[in-house]
Amino acid sequence: MANSVLNNVNAAASGTFSLGGDLPVHRLGYGAMRITGEGVWGEPKDAEGAKKVLKRAVELGVNFIDTADAYGPDVSERLIGESLAPYANGVVIATKGGLTRQGPNKWLPVGRPEYLQQQVEMSLRRLKVERIDLWQLHRIDAKVPVEESLGVIKRLQKAGKIRHVGLSEVKPHEIEQARKVIDIVSVQNQYNIGDRKHDDTLEYCEKNNIAFIPWYPVAAGKLAQPGGKLDTAAKQHGATVSQLSLAWLLQKSPVILPIPGTTSIEHLEENIGAAQVELSAAEWKEIEDSVK
C-alpha cells in the first residue's frame, strides 16, 4: 500500500463493535501473543521494541488488545501493563486464562476454579487494572465441568474484577452450555479465509451478537504463495496478502474482530491499513471460490 495511505491509517476505519452491548472497540485490534520469546515462551528478543509496537498500536487507533496469562507465560501481560498503563480512555485489554505452560509451544488446559481465580488475580496485577474488561476461558478443560470453571468467574464478575466473559476454541453447543452459567460476549477461534472450519460458530455468534475474534487471521501456506489468487488480487489493489486476508475478515461479518499480531511497527501499520482495502462483492466471491 502506498506510503501516503499508510501515513493516514487508523483502526477506526475498520468500524466499531460493542462487546456485551456496552463496550465499544474498533474492530481491527492487536494480538499480543508474539511479544514473547520463541515458542511463546520467555522474554522477547527486543522488549523495548515490543513496547514501542504496543504504544504505536494505540496511537493508530487500536483500542482492543488481546493477550493471555499463558503468553510467556506472564510476559505479554506484564509488557502491556508496563507500556500502556495507565490506559488511554477507551482502550480495552482482553486476556485469557486456563492454559498452563510446560515449555516452548507446550500448552495444557487447567480449568480448576481455584487455579482460574489465582490467574485472574495475577492478570489484574500484571495488567495494572482493577477490573479486566474481557476475560476469556482459554480452553475448556475436559477434566473439569465447564459449569465449575465458569462458576468462579461469575463470582469474580459479581465482585467487580471482571466486566465481560468470553470463550476460546468452542463450538455452538459449548457456547450454549456456558451461557447457562454466565453471559458470553465473545468467542475466539482459529479462522481465516483458508481455514473456515468454524463457519458454524461464526454463524451462531452473528445470530446472538457475540464478537467472533479470529486468531491466526492471516492466510498461510499454498493460499498465500506468490502468484496465487490472493497474491494476484492483492497486487491488483495495491495491497499485501496480509492486508487482503484481514480485509476479507472485516467484510465477512460485522461481528468479526481480527487481532493480527506483529513485533514490527512497519508490519503493524501495514495490518491496520487493511481497514482501507475495498473489493467488490464479485471480487470477494471469486477469491472465496478459488480457495474451496
Side-chain angles (χ1 to χ4, degrees):
M1 186 171 278
N3 285 335
S4 60
V5 176
L6 275 179
N7 289 338
N8 297 313
V9 297
N10 192 286
S14 64
T16 301
F17 181 87
S18 284
L19 293 160
D22 65 2
L23 194 58
V25 294
H26 297 145
R27 290 176 59 210
L28 196 50
Y30 176 79
M33 183 177 78
R34 293 175 61 183
I35 56 166
T36 60
E38 196 170 333
V40 200
W41 184 258
E43 301 293 330
K45 288 178 182 174
D46 180 6
E48 289 308 309
K51 291 179 181 180
K52 286 176 183 174
V53 169
L54 287 164
K55 290 173 181 174
R56 182 63 177 146
V58 174
E59 287 174 1
L60 293 171
V62 171
N63 59 6
F64 181 62
I65 296 174
D66 179 85
T67 185
D69 60 30
Y71 297 164
D74 308 343
V75 174
S76 178
E77 287 186 330
R78 193 193 75 242
L79 288 174
I80 289 169
E82 289 174 356
S83 307
L84 301 179
Y87 298 93
N89 190 37
V91 171
V92 171
I93 309 296
T95 194
K96 297 179 287 294
L99 278 181
T100 60
R101 302 301 304 279
Q102 293 72 43
N105 293 316
K106 293 180 180 176
W107 314 75
L108 185 69
V110 174
R112 294 196 311 274
E114 68 276 15
Y115 173 73
L116 294 179
Q117 180 168 0
Q118 168 190 288
Q119 293 308 100
V120 168
E121 296 290 354
M122 297 302 289
S123 291
L124 288 164
R125 189 187 302 178
R126 286 188 291 266
L127 291 170
K128 301 183 180 180
V129 292
E130 293 183 1
R131 179 176 67 173
I132 294 168
D133 281 327
L134 175 61
W135 184 93
Q136 302 153 104
L137 182 62
H138 212 155
R139 289 294 185 279
I140 292 175
D141 183 352
K143 300 185 184 73
V144 180
V146 73
E147 293 82 0
E148 288 185 22
S149 297
L150 292 176
V152 71
I153 298 305
K154 187 169 186 176
R155 289 196 293 276
L156 289 164
Q157 188 181 45
K158 285 182 176 176
K161 295 187 175 185
I162 292 171
R163 182 166 179 173
H164 289 304
V165 176
L167 302 169
S168 182
E169 283 304 293
V170 287
K171 284 294 190 181
H173 72 276
E174 292 170 313
I175 308 172
E176 286 279 336
Q177 188 179 0
R179 289 176 77 195
K180 291 174 182 173
V181 181
I182 198 167
D183 189 31
I184 298 296
V185 309
S186 71
V187 167
Q188 189 166 152
N189 285 8
Q190 183 171 338
Y191 190 81
N192 60 58
I193 192 170
D195 180 358
R196 296 171 59 183
K197 63 179 176 288
H198 289 300
D199 270 338
D200 56 343
T201 305
L202 172 58
E203 189 178 322
Y204 180 93
C205 288
E206 287 176 331
K207 287 178 180 174
N208 293 278
N209 202 36
I210 292 170
F212 184 88
I213 306 167
W215 60 272
Y216 213 122
V218 176
K222 275 179 69 177
L223 181 59
Q225 284 178 358
K229 198 70 188 175
L230 269 183
D231 182 52
T232 302
K235 286 189 171 75
Q236 286 172 350
H237 290 272
T240 65
V241 168
S242 175
Q243 287 175 326
L244 206 64
S245 299
L246 296 169
W248 177 81
L249 288 166
L250 289 169
Q251 66 80 42
K252 175 69 178 167
S253 169
V255 305
I256 288 182
L257 277 59
I259 48 165
T262 180
T263 57
S264 153
I265 285 179
E266 184 182 4
H267 193 208
L268 169 73
E269 292 172 348
E270 177 190 308
N271 285 341
I272 294 171
Q276 293 164 284
V277 175
E278 292 184 7
L279 276 69
S280 69
E283 287 173 312
W284 283 127
K285 185 177 187 308
E286 189 181 343
I287 291 170
E288 286 183 10
D289 288 347
S290 73
V291 302
K292 284 179 181 175

